[in-house]
Amino acid sequence: TGGAAADFKVMIMNANMTIGGNLTVTDTSDNTRNTILDLRTKNCDVTGDITLTGIDATNDFGQINLDSSAGTGLSANDVTMGAGGRIYNTASGKITASGNWNFSTTTSSFNRGTSTVTLTGTGNIACYDTLTTFYNLTCAKPGKTTTLSAGLYLRVYGTLTLGTGTLAGSFTMFFPSYDGNTQKLDVDT
């Protein structure tokens, strides 16, 4: 527990970790090497914000891997993926944000896998691209407001769970249907 700074290219967690501050995973080396925090089957709780950045999304990126069918957990206040920032799910990782979910550039990416993203507080879903995809998404918790960026297209491949809180914004949601086609729901709150 506590804030820490480390310089690494790949850090593999072999135990659960709590960071009492912010976590930034970044690569600015421009040498086709990436900076990766690999959670494997462990949990990482961050009391502050998570920021992922790099130079681009192909060669030099800051990435967190959630790589476990057991449901690796990642939690923080705000989750921000700047240029070259990535979260990569190969299975059913669980991500909890009590604040904002923000992809700010075309080189940031979120590989949803079969993960569940839960937004527990009042915050925004903001993305550079108009189409944002989740596998499972839980938001609008009781007494909280989840605001979606204007013009956002939200696609949920698994389960969308809306609490009794407020879902705000003007957006379009896409859902897969039983016949494999996509159904659309336009929402203007």
Side-chain angles (χ1 to χ4, degrees):
T1 302
D7 184 14
F8 59 87
K9 286 298 174 192
V10 176
M11 179 179 176
I12 298 173
M13 287 182 49
N14 291 315
N16 293 331
M17 178 169 61
T18 298
I19 298 173
N22 297 324
L23 171 65
T24 300
V25 179
T26 188
D27 188 326
T28 57
S29 61
D30 195 20
N31 63 4
T32 66
R33 294 179 61 205
N34 310 307
T35 302
I36 299 172
L37 175 59
D38 191 338
L39 299 182
R40 301 281 168 123
T41 60
K42 303 305 176 190
N43 294 309
C44 181
D45 296 314
V46 180
T47 62
D49 300 333
I50 293 175
T51 303
L52 306 169
T53 61
I55 295 174
D56 61 58
T58 305
N59 296 319
D60 297 289
F61 51 82
Q63 175 173 307
I64 293 180
N65 288 344
L66 300 175
D67 186 16
S68 170
S69 58
T72 302
L74 177 66
S75 66
N77 182 28
D78 290 342
V79 176
T80 300
M81 280 149 278
R86 303 179 357 170
I87 293 180
Y88 187 75
N89 283 292
T90 58
S92 58
K94 293 173 176 40
I95 304 168
T96 303
S98 60
N100 299 310
W101 180 268
N102 182 16
F103 289 71
S104 59
T105 72
T106 58
T107 60
S108 51
S109 65
F110 172 62
N111 175 315
R112 69 186 174 280
T114 56
S115 66
T116 298
V117 173
T118 302
L119 305 176
T120 61
T122 293
N124 299 305
I125 298 176
C127 299
Y128 71 89
D129 193 355
T130 56
L131 179 62
T132 303
T133 62
F134 295 94
Y135 189 78
N136 296 313
L137 175 63
T138 300
C139 60
K141 292 286 194 173
K144 306 296 180 179
T145 299
T146 301
T147 303
L148 284 83
S149 299
L152 181 71
Y153 291 94
L154 188 63
R155 179 170 284 169
V156 178
Y157 286 88
T159 302
L160 172 65
T161 305
L162 299 175
T164 59
T166 303
L167 185 61
S170 179
F171 54 93
T172 300
M173 297 193 74
F174 293 96
F175 301 93
S177 68
Y178 68 92
D179 60 2
N181 295 317
T182 300
Q183 302 298 318
K184 182 174 108 171
L185 171 67
D186 290 308
V187 180
D188 191 9
T189 60

